[in-house]
C-alpha cells in the first residue's frame, strides 16, 4: 500500500514538473564531435528567440561516447530531449518505446534525396529527422598506380579492381587495396558497399526476412577473401581511419571512404575517386547511411523538442552542415529544388560520384538488436579475412544467428 | 571484552539507576561495549552495504531477468541455461583460464629471475632496480597505447625491426591474427604485472638473512643449491601470495585487452571479463551481462578462498619459525 | 685434526685497512680465542680463515697446505654463526643434515651421523621440531650440531654465545669446553667477552685495531700483559692505572712516587727507564688491601657487595677512576676515603709508550 502511495506522489510530482516545463523548458540536446559547434549555437539562439522562455542545454560529446550516453540516460529514465543517433538504432529505440515518432511535412519529405527517409522509417512512421548522410566512393592513389606501371583509371568491376590491386602488390610490394576489418561499424559498412554492388541484401525491409544467405553474399565474401591477399597485412586490426592513414602514407593503392575524405588526404598525393566497382551480379552501389536527430520519449516536452530538431535539420542549418565548410557530407536534401542556385555539389565531378550513386544505394540494415547484428556480420567478415572457415559456412552461420536479432 | 565490561563493575546497578539524564543514557550506551562497537562499525558497514552488498544483490537479481535497454522481465534461469549450453561461452571460459595460466606463470617465473638478478651483487644494481619500475608507475592505459604502437605492423617498431633484420618480408600486424593477438596481449599483461611481482619477491629475498647463505656456502652448497633450498623456501609465502593475487588480477585484467584488441579478432582475446563488459555495457544486455558477472564473482570467490586457505597454511607453517 | 698458520694477513675494505699484517700459528687441537673490542678485526680474521672473505694479502695454511684461494668446503673448516643461521623452514634433523645433503651422502649415513651429533648435544627429542620451537640454548646446539656433523678439521665460532642470557652463557661455556675435549679438534672462537676467553681458551689472541697485541695462555696474558691495552682488557674488574714519577732506578727495583705523594718500590726489570720519567702503575682491583698506611687514597663513591667480596668504585687523585675488590665483610661507608695498599710484586709498570716492564715477583707463577 505504502509503495503505491509513494508512486502516486512521485507521478503527480512529475506531472507537475512536466506542466511547468511546457511553459519554460530546458531542452537537453546531445550532439557528437566538436565540428560545427558555432552553427548549432546559431540555431539554438534562433530557437530560443522563436520560443521565448525556453532554453537549450547543448552537450557536445566525442564520437565514441555520444550515442551510448544517450542510450544510458534513456534506459536510466532521464532521457535527453533530442540526441544525435545513428539511424540504425532507431528500430531498437522505437521497439523499446524510448523515442517518439516525428512528423515531417510533405514538402520536406519530397526534398530529401532518394532513400534517405527509408533509413528512418519503420512501421510506416518516421523515428528521427535525418541529419547527416553519406555515400561512398573508391579512392585511388594515382602515385602508386603509376609506380606499378598502371594508368590511374578507376576499375569498373571487381575483376578490374582485383587485377589492379594485384598488379600494385606484385610490382611495388605495397597493398593494392586497404580493408577495414576490426570489430567496428565501419567494417560492416565497407562490406555492405560491395554487397550492394553485387545485388545482395542482409534483410528485406518489407518482409523483415533475413536474406543474407544468398549467392550474392557468397560471391561478395569470396571476393573479400581474394582481396585480403592483395590488401595491407592484418585488416582485422584496422578501422577506416587507420586505412586512410596508410593511404596518406603511400602504402595503399585504393580504399573506400566518404566525400569528406578529400579534405583529409595529405597534400601532394594525387588521388582520384570513382564509384564502387560492380560485382558480377549487380551494378555499382553504395551504402546509404544516415544519422538522425531522435526525439526521446519522457522528457516532458517532446513537441518542443521536435520543433527544435526540425529547425536543426532544415534549410540553412542543414546546408551548412552538409557543405564542405561544415562536415562535407553527401547532400541530404535536394538543395537545388529548395532554392539554392548553385549548391556546393553542383557541376563538380568529385561530388557527382557521391550524389549520382544515391539512387542505386542500399540502406543500413535495420535490426532490433543492431549491435548484435553488427557483431555477427563482422565475425563473418573477419572469418574470411582470417581464413577461419569456408565462405559458405560463414554466411550460413551468420544468417542463422541474425534470425535472433531482427 | 570481559574485564573492561561495565557489567562486572560492582556499582553498576546504582549507576544505571541514576542514568535518567541525557548524559546518563549516553554513558550507558558507551558502557555497553557491544553497542559502542556497533556505533564504530556502522559507517564502514553502511559503506559496504551501499558499495558492495547492494550492487551484488542487484546483479544477482538482474541475472534472472532479460533486462535490456527497453526494460526488464523475470525469466528465471534462462540466462544461465543459455550460457551453460553455449559453446562460445565454454570457449571463453577455457580461454580465460589459459590466459590466466600463461600470464601468471610468466609473471612468477620472470619475477623470480628478475628479483634474483636484482638481488645479486652486480654493478649498477640500483640503476637496474629503478629501471624495473616504469611499467608499474606508468598508468596502464598509457602503457597499453605504447604497446599498441609497438604491435602496429605498418608503423610499429617490432614489425619494423623484424623486417629490417629479414625475419619478416613485409609488415606484420601482431594484433590482427588470433594467435599473435592473444600472445601479444599476454606479453603486455606480463609487462604490466611483472614489476610488482619482481619488487615483492626482491623485498622477500632481501629479507632472507645473509647468514643463511653464508652458512650454506661454508657447507659447500652451490649457488643453485642455495637458491633451491634457502631462497625458494624462504620466499615461498610471497611466491604463493603473489601467484594467487596475480591470478585474481589477471582474471580481472580488462584495460589491457580492451585497449589492444577489444577482445578480437573473432573473440581470440575475449576473456570472461571482456565478454561480460561487451554484453552488459557495450550491448546493453544487462540481464545476460549480470549472469556473466555472477559467474565472475563466483570464480573470484573461489580464488579468494584458495588465497585465504593458502595464507592460513603458510601462517601455520611459519608461525613456529 | 689440524694446525693452522696465518701469515702476513692484510685485509682492506677500500681505503680502510682492518687487519694489518697478522701472523699466527695455531697448534693441532688447540682452543684459540680471538678477543678484542668491537671493530678490532677479530670477526674479519675469522671470516678470512673460513673463506667468507678473501685476504688482501697473506696466506692461510691448514695442515701445511696453502688454502688461501680454496673454497670453505675444501679447507675442512666449519663455522657456527653468531645468529646460528638455522634454516627456519627445515626441521632440526634437516638443519643438522644440511651439510651432508649438500655432500650428497647416502641416507643411512646421514641418519647415523645426525643422530650421533644429536646425542652429543642432547637434541634427540627435538629432531622433528622447527628451529622456531626451540629455546636459545637449543638453537645454539643445533648450530653446533650442524658444524660437527661434517667432522671438520677446524671449528670456527663467531661470538656464538652473545645472544644468550647470562646464566645460559655460563652453562654453554662449560659445554663448549667439554665439547672441545670430546671432539679433540682445533677450534677458533671469536668473542668480545674476555671472561669467555679466559675460561675456555688454551690460548688467547688479543686483537686491537687490526693488530695482534698479544698471544698467549690466559694466565700468561693475565700475569704478563705485553702492554697497557692487554693489561686493561684481560681481567675483571679492569686493571687500575695511576700515574707515577720514577724517583730512582735500581737493578731489580723501581722506586716511584705516586701522583698524590705515596711512595712505592716495585720489583721490575726496567728497560729504557730513568729517574724523572713518567710511568703508569697498573694495579688489579683484586690485589688491593685495606691498609691505613697504604700509599693510595681512594674516595669511595659506590660499594657493590657481591658476598664473597665487595667492590669499591671511586676516585684517586681527585678524578682518576679507581676500583678495588675488598673482603666481603669490609665496612666502608660510601663517600668516605680509604687507604689502600698493594704488594709490590702484584703491581705492573708501563712506560710512557704503554709497554709493560718485566715483573720479577710474579715469575714463579707463570
Amino acid at each position: 500500500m505504502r509503495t503505491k502511495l509513494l508512486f502516486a506522489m512521485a507521478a503527480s510530482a512529475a506531472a507537475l514538473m512536466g506542466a511547468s516545463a511546457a511553459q519554460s523548458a530546458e531542452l537537453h540536446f546531445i550532439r557528437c564531435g566538436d565540428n560545427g559547434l558555432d552553427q548549432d549555437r546559431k540555431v539554438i539562439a534562433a530557437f530560443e528567440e522563436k520560443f521565448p522562455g525556453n532554453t537549450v542545454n547543448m552537450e557536445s560529446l566525442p564520437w565514441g561516447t555520444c550515442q551510448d550516453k544517450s542510450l544510458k540516460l534513456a534506459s536510466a529514465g532521464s532521457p535527453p530531449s533530442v540526441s544525435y543517433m545513428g539511424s540504425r538504432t532507431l528500430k531498437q529505440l522505437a521497439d523499446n518505446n524510448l523515442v517518439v515518432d516525428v512528423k515531417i511535412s510533405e514538402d520536406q519529405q519530397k526534398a530529401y534525396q532518394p532513400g534517405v527517409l527509408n533509413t528512418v522509417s519503420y512501421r510506416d512512421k518516421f523515428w528521427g529527422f535525418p541529419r547527416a548522410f553519406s555515400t561512398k566512393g573508391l579512392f585511388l592513389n594515382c602515385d602508386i598506380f603509376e609506380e606499378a606501371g598502371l594508368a590511374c583509371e578507376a576499375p569498373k568491376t571487381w575483376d578490374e579492381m582485383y587485377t589492379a590491386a594485384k598488379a600494385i602488390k606484385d610490382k611495388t610490394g605495397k597493398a593494392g587495396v586497404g580493408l577495414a576489418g576490426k570489430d567496428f561499424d565501419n567494417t560492416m559498412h565497407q562490406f555492405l558497399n560491395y554487397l550492394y554492388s553485387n545485388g545482395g541484401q542482409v534483410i528485406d525491409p518489407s518482409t523483415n526476412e533475413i536474406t543474407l544467405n544468398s549467392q550474392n553474399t557468397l560471391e561478395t565474401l569470396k571476393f573479400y577473401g581474394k582481396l585480403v591477399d592483395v590488401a595491407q597485412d592484418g585488416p582485422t586490426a584496422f578501422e577506416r581511419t587507420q586505412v586512410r592513414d596508410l593511404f596518406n602514407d603511400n602504402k595503399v593503392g585504393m580504399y573506400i571512404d566518404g566525400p569528406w575524405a578529400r579534405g583529409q588526404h595529405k597534400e601532394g598525393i594525387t588521388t582520384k575517386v570513382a564509384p564502387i566497382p560492380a560485382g558480377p551480379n549487380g551494378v555499382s552501389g553504395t551504402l546509404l547511411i544516415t544519422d538522425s536527430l531522435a526525439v526521446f520519449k519522457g522528457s516532458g516536452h517532446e513537441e518542443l523538442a521536435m520543433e527544435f530538431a526540425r529547425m536543426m535539420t532544415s534549410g540553412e542549418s542543414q546546408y551548412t552542415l552538409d557543405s564542405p565548410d561544415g562536415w562535407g557530407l553527401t547532400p541530404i536534401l535536394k538543395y537545388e529544388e529548395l532554392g539554392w542556385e548553385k549548391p556546393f555539389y553542383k557541376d563538380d565531378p568529385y561530388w557527382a560520384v557521391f550524389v549520382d550513386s544515391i539512387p542505386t544505394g542500399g540502406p543500413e540494415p535495420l535490426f532490433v538488436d543492431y549491435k548484435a547484428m553488427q557483431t555477427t556480420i563482422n565475425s563473418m567478415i573477419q572469418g574470411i579475412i582470417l581464413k577461419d572457415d569456408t565462405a559458405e559456412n560463414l554466411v550460413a552461420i551468420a544468417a542463422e544467428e541474425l534470425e535472433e536479432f531482427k | 571484552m570481559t574485564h573492561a565490561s561495565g557489567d562486572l563493575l560492582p556499582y553498576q546497578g546504582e549507576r544505571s539507576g541514576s542514568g535518567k539524564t541525557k548524559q546518563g543514557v549516553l554513558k550507558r550506551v558507551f558502557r555497553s561495549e557491544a553497542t559502542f562497537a556497533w556505533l564504530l562499525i556502522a559507517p564502514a558497514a553502511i559503506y559496504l552495504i551501499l558499495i558492495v552488498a547492494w550492487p551484488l544483490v542487484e546483479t544477482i537479481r538482474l541475472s534472472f531477468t532479460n533486462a535490456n535497454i527497453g526494460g526488464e522481465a523475470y525469466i528465471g534461469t534462462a540466462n544461465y541455461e543459455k550460457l551453460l549450453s553455449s559453446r562460445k561461452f565454454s570457449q571463453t571460459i577455457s580461454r580465460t583460464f589459459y590466459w590466466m595460466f600463461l600470464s601468471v606463470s610468466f609473471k612468477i617465473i620472470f619475477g623470480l629471475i628478475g628479483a634474483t638478478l636484482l638481488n645479486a651483487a652486480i654493478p649498477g644494481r640500483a640503476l637496474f632496480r629503478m629501471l624495473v619500475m616504469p611499467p608499474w608507475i606508468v598508468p596502464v592505459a598509457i602503457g597499453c597505447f605504447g604497446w599498441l604502437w609497438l604491435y602496429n605492423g605498418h608503423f610499429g617498431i617490432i614489425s619494423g625491426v623484424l623486417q629490417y633484420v629479414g625475419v619478416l618480408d613485409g609488415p606484420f600486424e601482431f594484433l590482427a591474427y588470433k594467435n599473435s593477438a592473444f600472445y601479444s596481449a599476454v606479453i603486455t599483461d606480463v609487462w604490466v604485472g611483472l614489476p610488482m611481482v619482481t619488487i615483492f619477491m626482491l623485498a622477500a629475498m632481501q629479507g632472507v638473512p645473509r647468514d643463511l647463505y653464508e652458512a650454506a656456502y661454508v657447507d659447500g652448497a652451490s649457488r643453485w643449491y642455495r637458491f633451491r633450498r634457502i631462497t625458494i623456501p624462504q620466499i615461498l609465502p610471497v611466491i604463493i601470495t603473489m601467484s594467487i593475487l596475480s591470478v585474481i588480477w589477471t582474471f580481472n585484467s580488462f584495460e589491457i585487452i580492451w585497449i589492444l584488441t577489444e577482445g578480437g579478432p573473432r573473440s581470440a582475446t575475449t576473456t570472461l571479463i571482456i565478454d561480460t563488459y561487451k554484453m552488459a555495457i557495450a550491448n546493453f544486455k544487462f540481464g545476460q551481462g549480470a549472469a556473466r558477472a555472477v559467474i565472475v564473482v563466483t570464480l573470484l570467490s573461489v580464488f579468494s578462498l584458495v588465497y585465504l586457505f593458502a595464507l592460513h597454511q603458510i601462517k601455520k607453517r611459519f608461525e613456529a619459525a | 685434526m689440524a694446525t693452522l698458520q696465518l701469515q702476513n694477513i692484510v685485509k682492506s675494505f677500500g681505503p680502510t685497512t682492518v687487519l694489518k699484517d697478522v701472523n699466527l700459528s695455531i697448534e693441532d687441537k688447540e682452543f684459540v680465542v680471538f678477543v678484542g673490542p668491537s671493530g678490532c678485526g677479530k670477526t674479519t680474521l675469522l671470516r678470512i680463515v673460513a673463506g667468507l672473505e678473501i685476504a688482501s694479502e697473506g696466506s692461510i695454511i691448514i695442515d701445511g697446505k696453502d688454502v688461501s684461494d680454496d673454497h670453505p668446503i675444501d679447507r675442512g673448516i666449519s663455522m657456527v654463526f653468531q645468529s646460528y643461521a638455522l634454516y627456519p623452514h627445515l626441521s632440526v634433523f634437516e638443519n643438522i643434515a644440511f651439510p651432508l645433503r649438500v655432500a650428497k651422502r647416502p641416507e643411512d649415513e646421514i641418519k647415523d651421523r645426525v643422530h650421533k651429533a644429536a646425542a652429543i648435544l642432547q637434541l634427540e627429542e627435538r629432531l622433528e621440531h622447527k628451529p622456531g620451537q626451540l629455546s636459545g640454548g637449543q638453537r645454539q646446539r643445533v648450530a653446533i650440531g650442524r658444524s660437527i656433523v661434517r667432522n671438520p678439521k677446524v671449528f670456527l665460532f663467531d661470538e656464538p654465545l652473545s645472544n644468550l642470557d647470562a646464566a645460559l652463557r655460563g652453562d654453554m661455556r662449560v659445554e663448549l669446553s667439554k665439547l672441545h675435549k670430546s671432539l679433540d679438534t682445533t677450534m677458533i672462537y671469536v668473542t668480545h667477552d674476555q671472561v669467555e676467553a679466559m675460561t675456555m681458551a688454551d690460548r688467547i689472541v688479543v686483537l686491537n685495531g687490526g693488530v695482534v697485541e698479544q698471544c698467549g695462555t690466559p694466565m700468561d696474558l693475565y700475569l704478563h700483559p705485553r702492554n697497557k691495552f692487554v693489561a686493561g682488557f684481560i681481567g675483571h674488574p679492569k686493571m687500575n692505572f695511576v700515574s707515577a714519577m720514577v724517583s730512582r732506578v735500581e737493578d731489580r727495583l723501581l722506586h716511584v712516587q705516586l701522583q698524590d705523594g705515596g711512595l712505592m718500590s716495585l720489583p721490575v726489570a726496567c728497560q729504557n727507564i730513568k729517574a724523572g720519567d713518567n710511568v703508569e702503575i697498573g694495579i688489579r682491583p683484586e690485589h688491593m688491601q685495606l691498609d691505613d698506611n697504604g700509599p693510595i687514597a681512594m674516595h669511595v663513591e659506590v660499594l657493590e657487595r657481591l658476598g664473597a667480596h665487595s667492590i669499591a668504585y671511586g676516585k684517586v687523585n681527585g678524578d682518576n677512576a679507581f676500583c678495588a675488590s675488598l673482603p666481603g665483610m669490609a665496612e666502608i661507608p660510601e663517600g668516605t676515603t680509604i687507604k689502600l695498599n698493594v704488594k709490590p710484586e702484584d703491581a705492573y709498570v708501563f712506560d710512557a709508550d704503554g709497554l709493560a716492564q718485566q715483573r720479577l715477583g710474579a715469575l714463579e707463577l707463570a
Side-chain angles (χ1 to χ4, degrees):
Chain A
M1 271 310 279
R2 209 203 275 175
T3 38
K4 266 193 183 164
L5 190 68
L6 272 173
F7 268 122
M9 283 168 64
S12 56
L16 272 173
M17 282 163 68
S20 68
Q23 264 142 21
S24 70
E26 191 195 65
L27 273 63
H28 183 197
F29 168 45
I30 294 182
R31 52 156 286 157
C32 302
D34 50 9
N35 196 353
L37 276 171
D38 286 341
Q39 177 57 29
D40 283 7
R41 286 199 189 100
K42 270 188 219 158
V43 180
I44 287 170
F47 172 80
E48 288 173 349
E49 201 176 315
K50 191 171 169 191
F51 298 94
N54 298 296
T55 55
V56 176
N57 168 25
M58 178 166 74
E59 189 177 3
S60 189
L61 295 169
W63 279 102
T65 57
C66 55
Q67 301 197 29
D68 276 356
K69 166 109 186 225
S70 303
L71 286 175
K72 277 172 196 159
L73 284 175
S75 65
S78 56
S81 317
V82 175
S83 177
Y84 188 101
M85 301 297 294
S87 302
R88 55 177 169 268
T89 61
L90 294 176
K91 187 173 178 179
Q92 186 175 16
L93 292 173
D95 261 4
N96 284 310
N97 220 11
L98 293 171
V99 293
V100 298
D101 59 303
V102 301
K103 274 111 208 146
I104 301 177
S105 70
E106 291 282 329
D107 285 350
Q108 181 79 357
Q109 285 185 32
K110 272 184 221 152
Y112 279 111
Q113 297 278 8
V116 166
L117 282 174
N118 288 341
T119 63
V120 297
S121 307
Y122 175 53
R123 291 191 308 223
D124 300 323
K125 284 178 177 162
F126 304 125
W127 297 94
F129 294 97
R131 174 61 167 157
F133 183 39
S134 77
T135 51
K136 300 286 153 55
L138 181 71
F139 285 85
L140 280 57
N141 183 329
C142 289
D143 302 339
I144 293 182
F145 270 69
E146 221 166 87
E147 198 184 327
L150 300 171
C152 194
E153 271 169 25
K156 295 199 171 50
T157 65
W158 287 359
D159 283 346
E160 286 176 35
M161 180 180 176
Y162 178 76
T163 310
K166 186 158 176 26
I168 290 171
K169 181 91 180 174
D170 290 349
K171 299 249 172 68
T172 68
K174 290 174 177 174
V177 61
L179 291 179
K182 212 169 174 172
D183 186 12
F184 266 71
D185 52 6
N186 191 252
T187 291
M188 181 183 80
H189 291 163
Q190 297 255 327
F191 179 78
L192 290 177
N193 286 314
Y194 292 96
L195 185 64
Y196 290 160
S197 298
N198 196 35
Q201 204 181 26
V202 176
I203 188 170
D204 184 336
S206 51
T207 62
N208 210 30
E209 222 174 280
I210 306 294
T211 50
L212 182 75
N213 198 349
S214 65
Q215 189 59 31
N216 310 60
T217 312
L218 206 53
E219 283 168 5
T220 311
L221 200 61
K222 282 180 174 165
F223 178 59
Y224 235 66
K226 253 172 86 179
L227 283 186
V228 169
D229 297 333
V230 293
Q232 88 277 17
D233 185 73
T236 49
F238 281 84
E239 293 174 55
R240 181 185 59 208
T241 54
Q242 293 169 301
V243 175
R244 187 193 295 141
D245 291 342
L246 287 185
F247 184 82
N248 272 330
D249 210 44
N250 269 322
K251 287 191 160 97
V252 154
M254 292 176 268
Y255 87 112
I256 289 177
D257 208 343
W260 54 77
R262 180 162 63 171
Q264 288 160 353
H265 285 153
K266 218 163 74 179
E267 273 180 49
I269 299 180
T270 320
T271 64
K272 196 169 200 177
V273 67
I276 312 289
N281 271 315
V283 295
S284 169
T286 181
L287 172 64
L288 308 175
I289 302 182
T290 72
D291 290 342
S292 305
L293 292 188
V295 177
F296 278 83
K297 193 175 260 183
S299 66
H301 43 249
E302 289 85 348
E303 283 302 322
L304 206 56
M306 211 179 294
E307 207 58 56
F308 173 68
R310 198 173 283 132
M311 276 180 81
M312 275 294 215
T313 57
S314 56
E316 193 64 40
S317 163
Q318 187 61 46
Y319 182 80
T320 312
L321 181 86
D322 285 354
S323 69
D325 296 336
W327 289 5
L329 300 169
T330 308
I332 202 165
L333 293 160
K334 290 179 263 183
Y335 294 106
E336 64 276 13
E337 291 177 15
L338 290 171
W340 270 265
E341 265 183 28
K342 193 178 182 311
F344 62 86
Y345 49 88
K346 191 101 172 147
D347 302 327
D348 182 337
Y350 178 80
W351 281 104
V353 169
F354 296 98
V355 176
D356 294 350
S357 63
I358 295 173
T360 55
E364 270 191 288
L366 282 183
F367 274 76
V368 174
D369 192 342
Y370 182 85
K371 276 220 164 143
M373 182 274 286
Q374 178 185 303
T375 305
T376 301
I377 303 261
N378 281 347
S379 178
M380 175 185 83
I381 299 165
Q382 292 190 333
I384 203 75
I385 292 176
L386 295 171
K387 300 181 168 56
D388 260 7
D389 207 340
T390 62
E392 284 80 1
N393 283 342
L394 288 166
V395 173
I397 291 168
E400 196 189 317
E401 275 182 27
L402 286 182
E403 293 290 343
E404 201 190 322
F405 313 129
K406 67 184 184 187
Chain B
M1 272 300 262
T2 53
H3 290 297
S5 172
D7 51 19
L8 287 183
L9 293 174
Y11 295 113
Q12 205 238 352
E14 270 178 50
R15 282 188 189 178
S16 61
S18 66
K20 296 245 161 98
T21 59
K22 199 174 169 189
Q23 219 182 359
V25 172
L26 269 181
K27 257 187 192 164
R28 254 189 309 162
V29 167
F30 283 102
R31 189 119 39 75
S32 156
E33 285 205 355
T35 315
F36 187 55
W38 275 112
L39 272 176
L40 290 178
I41 294 169
I46 291 168
Y47 175 82
L48 281 178
I49 288 168
L50 285 179
I51 301 296
V52 179
W54 185 74
L56 187 65
V57 170
E58 183 64 9
T59 303
I60 294 172
R61 188 188 66 76
L62 273 179
S63 73
F64 293 104
T65 70
N66 68 349
N68 61 44
I69 192 155
E72 60 177 69
Y74 177 76
I75 53 164
T77 56
N79 285 332
Y80 291 100
E81 284 161 25
K82 196 173 168 188
L83 276 183
L84 296 179
S85 62
S86 154
R87 207 170 68 89
K88 263 191 185 164
F89 187 71
S90 60
Q91 282 172 344
T92 301
I93 294 278
S94 47
R95 187 183 303 121
T96 305
F97 276 90
Y98 185 50
W99 156 262
M100 228 158 59
F101 170 76
L102 277 188
S103 178
V104 172
S105 319
F106 284 138
K107 280 178 203 171
I108 297 300
I109 292 168
F110 289 124
L112 257 181
I113 295 173
T116 307
L117 293 179
L118 290 177
N119 198 33
I122 47 168
R125 178 169 61 164
L127 182 73
F128 284 120
R129 281 185 188 167
M130 264 169 26
L131 288 176
V132 187
M133 307 296 286
W136 196 10
I137 297 164
V138 170
V140 174
I142 292 176
C144 285
F145 280 111
W147 278 99
L148 201 54
W149 202 232
L150 289 177
Y151 289 142
N152 185 301
H154 290 79
F155 302 105
I157 192 164
I158 300 176
S159 171
V161 167
L162 290 181
Q163 286 177 72
Y164 182 78
V165 300
V167 176
L168 292 176
D169 51 7
F172 183 78
E173 287 288 348
F174 288 93
L175 300 177
Y177 303 96
K178 287 174 152 187
N179 282 334
S180 60
F182 183 83
Y183 294 113
S184 298
V186 169
I187 290 172
T188 303
D189 193 68
V190 170
W191 179 82
V192 169
L194 190 57
M196 169 139 182
V197 174
T198 310
I199 297 291
F200 271 73
M201 288 195 180
L202 177 61
M205 284 181 188
Q206 286 172 333
V208 180
R210 218 182 119 91
D211 283 353
L212 298 189
Y213 293 111
E214 290 189 338
Y217 175 73
V218 168
D219 285 338
S222 65
R223 220 174 261 275
W224 170 239
Y225 194 91
R226 277 176 274 157
F227 182 75
R228 203 160 51 84
R229 288 210 66 198
I230 299 175
T231 309
I232 293 288
Q234 284 282 301
I235 68 168
L236 194 62
V238 172
I239 295 179
I240 292 175
T241 304
M242 291 317 290
S243 300
I244 298 169
L245 288 179
S246 294
V247 161
I248 293 172
W249 291 330
T250 309
F251 183 85
N252 269 332
S253 175
F254 174 78
E255 327 73 315
I256 295 168
I257 298 179
W258 191 252
I259 291 170
L260 289 182
T261 64
E262 298 191 9
R266 282 208 115 200
S267 303
T269 54
T270 297
T271 59
L272 194 45
I273 285 289
I274 297 281
D275 192 36
T276 305
Y277 176 85
K278 272 188 173 171
M279 194 50 78
I281 310 295
N283 293 350
F284 296 101
K285 290 182 184 164
F286 308 121
Q288 291 185 44
R292 285 165 170 78
V294 168
I295 292 175
V296 168
V297 168
T298 310
L299 287 174
L300 282 178
S301 305
V302 172
F303 299 150
S304 304
L305 282 180
V306 171
Y307 175 54
L308 291 177
F309 178 75
L311 267 192
H312 183 70
Q313 291 299 111
I314 291 165
K315 223 175 138 196
K316 244 171 52 187
R317 193 177 149 203
F318 275 79
E319 203 137 61
Chain C
M1 317 259 170
T3 60
L4 185 140
Q5 279 93 42
L6 301 178
Q7 296 176 343
N8 309 104
I9 299 290
V10 175
K11 176 68 184 177
S12 305
F13 294 104
T16 324
T17 303
V18 294
L19 291 174
K20 299 163 191 161
D21 194 22
V22 173
N23 287 282
L24 208 57
S25 186
I26 294 170
E27 298 302 315
D28 186 24
K29 297 174 192 173
E30 211 178 2
F31 194 128
V32 173
V33 175
F34 294 173
V35 71
S38 58
C40 70
K42 57 190 186 294
T43 293
T44 307
L45 187 60
L46 187 78
R47 289 169 63 84
I48 286 174
V49 174
L52 286 169
E53 307 276 357
I54 304 298
S56 308
E57 287 171 39
S59 328
I60 303 120
I61 291 155
I62 294 179
D63 267 352
K65 177 177 170 258
D66 188 337
V67 296
S68 309
D69 299 322
D70 288 1
H71 187 279
I73 196 75
D74 301 323
R75 301 183 180 200
I77 55 94
S78 79
M79 180 156 166
V80 175
F81 289 77
Q82 183 173 7
S83 65
Y84 318 143
L86 300 182
Y87 309 115
H89 54 282
L90 297 180
S91 66
V92 168
F93 182 96
E94 286 302 326
N95 263 287
I96 296 176
F98 194 90
L100 303 173
R101 297 240 184 257
V102 172
K104 299 206 174 75
R105 308 307 306 170
E107 192 64 35
D108 288 352
E109 186 193 330
I110 291 178
K111 240 182 215 161
D112 188 44
R113 284 164 75 171
V114 171
H115 280 289
K116 254 185 212 156
I120 295 171
L121 298 161
Q122 294 148 36
L123 285 168
E124 291 118 313
E125 306 294 310
R126 300 282 174 184
L127 285 176
E128 294 318 311
H129 291 186
K130 293 274 169 67
Q133 296 164 294
L134 304 181
S135 70
Q138 286 165 340
R139 287 184 212 185
Q140 174 68 74
R141 277 184 269 155
V142 176
I144 294 169
R146 189 174 60 193
S147 71
I148 65 176
V149 77
R150 238 176 50 195
N151 296 331
K153 294 190 227 166
V154 183
F155 284 98
L156 307 177
F157 294 90
D158 184 11
E159 307 222 19
L161 305 186
S162 59
N163 288 341
L164 301 178
D165 62 52
L168 207 48
R169 208 151 46 209
D171 295 345
M172 282 308 290
R173 284 205 302 260
V174 177
E175 284 196 40
L176 279 173
S177 297
K178 280 191 204 156
L179 186 73
H180 176 234
K181 285 196 184 76
S182 67
L183 293 177
D184 212 16
T185 52
T186 313
M187 286 187 178
I188 304 178
Y189 185 106
V190 162
T191 181
H192 62 275
D193 181 357
Q194 60 92 29
V195 178
E196 284 176 25
M198 292 293 284
T199 50
M200 292 191 288
D202 292 332
R203 208 143 53 95
I204 297 176
V205 177
V206 181
L207 281 155
N208 184 35
V211 172
V212 176
E213 296 279 2
Q214 192 171 359
C215 177
T217 64
M219 285 319 284
D220 194 20
L221 263 55
Y222 179 80
L223 293 171
H224 301 290
R226 208 168 66 79
N227 55 32
K228 199 180 150 192
F229 176 82
V230 176
F233 197 84
I234 300 291
H236 182 82
K238 281 185 190 314
M239 182 184 278
N240 298 298
F241 296 100
V242 288
S243 305
M245 196 168 64
V246 177
S247 43
R248 193 153 52 87
V249 184
E250 281 180 42
D251 182 21
R252 296 170 70 85
L253 208 58
L254 185 75
H255 302 275
V256 297
Q257 182 174 26
L258 300 181
Q259 220 172 3
D260 59 355
L263 295 172
M264 291 181 82
S265 298
L266 308 170
V268 294
C270 289
Q271 286 171 321
N272 307 327
I273 287 184
K274 55 187 189 299
D277 282 358
N278 282 317
V279 291
E280 289 212 67
I281 310 300
I283 308 161
R284 293 200 184 273
E286 56 269 36
H287 294 149
M288 300 286 189
Q289 293 107 38
L290 284 167
D291 178 354
D292 288 341
N293 301 318
I296 301 161
M298 174 185 179
H299 178 74
V300 179
E301 288 167 342
V302 176
L303 188 76
E304 273 183 4
R305 291 199 179 278
L306 301 178
H309 46 260
S310 297
I311 297 174
Y313 296 92
K315 300 264 166 66
V316 296
N317 293 337
D319 61 348
N320 195 356
F322 210 82
C323 171
S325 180
L326 302 168
M329 298 310 290
E331 278 300 328
I332 303 160
E334 289 174 1
T336 58
T337 301
I338 53 171
K339 287 284 208 174
L340 296 168
N341 205 346
V342 63
K343 286 188 220 153
E345 62 267 29
D346 284 340
Y348 299 71
V349 178
F350 302 96
D351 68 13
D353 295 329
L355 282 177
Q357 304 301 304
Q358 192 189 358
R359 302 203 302 147
L360 301 170
L363 268 179
E364 69 276 12
L365 283 164

